Amino acid sequence: MAGIKRKNKHRLKIFGMALIGVGLLLIGLAAWVFLPKPDASGSPNREEISAIPAIAAYKAPELSLTDLDGSPVSLSDFVGQVVLVNNWATWCPPCKAEMPTLQAYYEDYRDQGFTIVAIEAGDSPEAIAEFVDQYGLTFPVWPDLEQKALDAFRNPNLPNSAVIDRHGAVRYVWTGTISRDVLEEYITPLVEE
């Protein structure tokens, strides 16, 4: 009887180890399939890493702040334009990574009634102005020491963005960096409406 119990324990142990092995194999396979592949330099291709916008359908929140010059500004100032509201921070690596993409997209579409309003979550206007100069940003940048925009858009994660159409409705939202290809696929049709 004791020999049979020992044999069954041994079989269960082997079965358990086999299950763990299969699980690890499946995790490795999933990583190989879904993680970005390196480019020729051995670094992951950053264009492959992009948030995908979620469809939204609600009125844009009322949000009034001051710009870097201390002048009052509001999202309602941009009714009639397509507005990408980007909540970000100077200390946030993914926020820094997407700024050149956002700037290039802005330059290409600003003459078609498109703008970006970048709302910085918590830094001083001086630190933000230094960042704006360093990155050569030409779209509106608003300091938000009290993080009103994060509350208004109900998303505390950074970076996060929302796209408001010409009629003042939020059409897309996402959290994380976004690629130029995804901006073209989702935002450009709104700009061209």
Side-chain angles (χ1 to χ4, degrees), residues 6 33 61 79 90 106 159 177:
R6 216 176 296 129
V33 169
V79 171
T90 59
Y106 171 73
T177 59

Side-chain angles (χ1 to χ4, degrees), residues 6-173:
R6 216 176 296 129
K7 205 175 210 182
N8 284 343
K9 270 187 173 180
H10 183 68
R11 285 184 184 158
L12 284 174
K13 191 175 190 180
I14 290 173
F15 181 72
M17 292 178 82
L19 278 177
I20 291 171
V22 169
L24 290 173
L25 183 65
L26 290 173
I27 289 170
L29 181 62
W32 181 77
V33 169
F34 293 109
L35 289 178
K37 308 299 182 268
D39 60 16
S41 70
S43 299
N45 181 347
R46 292 295 173 205
E47 282 300 306
E48 291 181 22
I49 302 171
S50 181
I52 302 297
I55 295 172
Y58 60 90
K59 186 178 183 298
E62 295 292 325
L63 182 64
S64 297
L65 296 167
T66 56
D67 64 15
L68 285 172
D69 297 324
S71 300
V73 287
S74 176
L75 286 181
S76 62
D77 297 342
F78 297 96
V79 171
Q81 295 188 48
V82 174
V83 181
L84 188 158
V85 176
N86 178 253
N87 291 298
W88 65 286
T90 59
W91 51 263
C92 165
C95 301
K96 293 176 184 180
E98 76 177 352
M99 283 299 171
T101 300
L102 294 177
Q103 178 62 38
Y105 188 82
Y106 171 73
E107 288 173 7
D108 290 344
Y109 290 98
R110 67 180 170 201
D111 293 335
Q112 296 178 43
F114 170 78
T115 196
I116 294 174
V117 174
I119 303 175
E120 203 284 339
D123 262 333
S124 70
E126 297 78 23
I128 299 166
E130 185 178 315
F131 184 98
V132 167
D133 288 343
Q134 180 183 356
Y135 281 78
L137 304 180
T138 59
F139 45 77
V141 177
W142 303 349
D144 186 7
L145 292 170
E146 297 172 12
Q147 300 181 0
K148 292 178 182 179
L150 296 179
D151 291 339
F153 286 95
R154 298 184 196 126
N155 188 346
N157 301 303
L158 296 174
N160 77 66
S161 297
V163 176
I164 303 169
D165 69 16
R166 297 181 193 279
H167 306 289
V170 175
R171 299 279 295 274
Y172 295 106
V173 294

